[in-house]
Amino acid sequence: MRIELKDVSFYYKKPFDIIKDFSYTFESGKLYLVKGKNGSGKTTLSKLICGLLRPQKGSILIDGEDIKKKRTAQIAKDMGYLFQNPDMQLFAMTVWEELSFFYELEKNLTEENKEKIHSVLKKFRLEKLIDSFPLTLSGGERQRLALATIFIRDIRFLILDEPFSSIDQEGREFLTALIKEFIASGGGAIVISHENIFFEETECIMLEKNNEA
Amino acid sequence: MKLDPRTKLIMVMLLTTLGVLAIDLGYLFIVFLISLAFCLILNADLIMAIKRLRHLISVIVFIAIVQSLAVRQGRPLVYIGNFYILTLGGLINGGEFALRMMIIVLASLIVAGSSSSEMADGLIKMKIPYELAFMTIIALRFLPIFREEFSSRLNAIALKGIDLKRQGVIKKIKIYSYLIMPTVSGSILKSKRLSKSIEARGFRAYPQRTMYRELKLSRLDYVIMSLIVVFFISFLVIMYSLGGLL
Ligand SMILES: Nc1ncnc2c1ncn2[C@@H]1O[C@H](COP(=O)(O)OP(=O)(O)OP(=O)(O)O)[C@@H](O)[C@H]1O
Ligand SMILES: [Mg+2]
């Protein structure tokens, strides 16, 4: 997968461009570390990439195709996005339902898919919490659950918004290993983070604050 | 145009009261136009608001359509033989509902620009009891919070690659009901946090505390306020002496 940003500019309010004439190409098999001060537009940039926000200027191409006319769901089909606040992406009454809902919606909760849910629960160390209410889990557990809902889909690109800000050392190691494994398997990842997580193929992008008058 | 929050609050109170009292479509339309005019005068960003409120607006339109189809009164407009699909009475009913809701939405845009603390200050200056003022602020903020929470969760659904627009009605309802619980509980949690933070800033503890920025009614406030009060009274007098417009 190849995500190309060409001279992208974006503002919430005229004339304060949060992102200004930004060009960059993201490719599979690599880790991109996005850094910058608070308010420099890191979250904004990631939302532009997955189609939640649309640039006023410039274009974004995914595998050569302009995403301008595509709907968010279409753009995000092969992507996984972890919000800065994962509470926003948890809905269900139990951990199990969080992962099974969309299979049930498609009337596709087969034995095979149940197995898949179990293996994802195990991978994200949530087996013991299967009947818990997602919003009462600890911060780290909630993040793992949000990640589980992402990894249960077949994604090719991962976008994580400050995933390290509220987890302990163990969680950090878990997450780093997860990213590493995902990239080794051919996926690409954009990680917004103040921490330096370095693999062989890491590119660092520094966002400047240019919205100040 | 910068108005005092008290002026805005009075505006909202009077306009929504008229929206409720208006006896027919004609009067509702006048109140609607006046609310629209005030929004424009106050530089409310209407296009932005329509974009952000598009879900709410589509729900209002949907209910209005259902209502016009369900009510069977008056002259039939669309019918097959003896089966009335749309009647004049139904159309008027749906239209009244839609206009009433839109008046409330427009009125809420009038106060949307003021901060909670400005509003709190304004209400206290109006000698409104603290508990009541406190509740008003939370209530006024609940709708925007709810909208924020709801649209964030709709975004989260889209990011799962699920195109809500392309789903059938039953699936749509299922997904919406899936969203309602966390949205409501999330909004309540946020409102609680808001009320705590207002209290933490000493809202109730020091009734006489001085505000960082004292509110003062300007000449413009007095002009606008008298205008709206005059409009309010004459509207009611005309409506009750003249009766229905349509
Ligand atoms: N919905 C919005 N409406 C208006 N302005 C916004 C909105 N979201 C963000 N902003 C503004 O855009 C700027 C960039 O925000 P953004 O969230 O992208 O920053 P960030 O780099 O992710 O910051 P942080 O490190 O605090 O997460 C900020 O100044 C912010 O106030
Ligand atoms: Mg951010």
Side-chain angles (χ1 to χ4, degrees), chain A residues 18-201:
Chain A
I18 307 289
I19 306 285
K20 197 166 189 178
D21 297 322
F22 184 82
S23 297
Y24 208 88
T25 303
F26 302 93
E27 285 176 318
S28 288
K30 279 191 186 171
L31 169 67
Y32 298 87
L33 214 53
V34 178
K35 298 182 165 231
K37 289 190 187 137
N38 290 132
S40 59
K42 304 181 293 296
T43 301
T44 306
L45 177 68
S46 66
K47 286 185 176 169
L48 284 165
I49 293 172
C50 64
L52 276 186
L53 297 172
R54 306 301 173 117
Q56 285 93 0
K57 230 189 84 218
S59 54
I60 300 174
L61 310 171
I62 294 183
D63 291 333
E65 257 187 278
D66 198 326
I67 64 169
K68 193 171 190 168
K69 295 226 168 67
K70 291 194 174 176
R71 301 168 52 74
T72 308
Q74 238 176 317
I75 299 165
K77 219 167 80 322
D78 300 321
M79 292 187 201
Y81 186 103
L82 181 76
F83 280 119
Q84 194 161 5
N85 173 10
D87 289 359
M88 287 298 172
Q89 48 197 136
L90 301 177
F91 308 94
M93 300 303 288
T94 67
V95 168
W96 172 265
E97 196 191 311
E98 198 68 65
L99 292 166
S100 65
F101 180 81
F102 291 96
Y103 288 124
E104 266 168 31
L105 195 69
E106 298 296 328
K107 298 213 167 25
N108 194 20
L109 190 58
T110 54
E111 283 308 313
E112 195 184 332
N113 284 330
K114 280 186 192 162
E115 267 315 299
K116 195 170 170 188
I117 295 175
H118 278 295
S119 74
V120 169
L121 283 173
K122 195 162 171 205
K123 180 171 180 181
F124 289 89
R125 301 185 203 152
L126 297 162
E127 316 110 293
K128 291 205 186 85
L129 300 166
I130 201 161
D131 293 319
S132 310
F133 180 46
L135 294 182
T136 57
L137 300 179
S138 78
E141 288 162 351
R142 256 175 305 176
Q143 188 190 63
R144 290 209 302 278
L145 179 57
L147 283 167
T149 65
I150 290 169
F151 275 87
I152 201 159
R153 296 166 43 220
D154 294 315
I155 55 160
R156 297 196 289 154
F157 221 92
L158 186 61
I159 304 173
L160 308 175
D161 193 355
E162 304 208 15
F164 293 106
S165 55
S166 65
I167 52 176
D168 61 10
Q169 188 56 35
E170 203 190 329
R172 230 162 272 252
E173 280 159 18
F174 175 82
L175 192 56
T176 322
L178 185 77
I179 298 169
K180 208 168 200 165
E181 186 196 316
F182 181 67
I183 288 173
S185 70
I190 298 173
V191 179
I192 298 170
S193 172
H194 300 286
E195 321 239 330
N196 284 314
I197 42 167
F198 284 116
F199 307 142
E200 297 84 73
E201 296 275 356

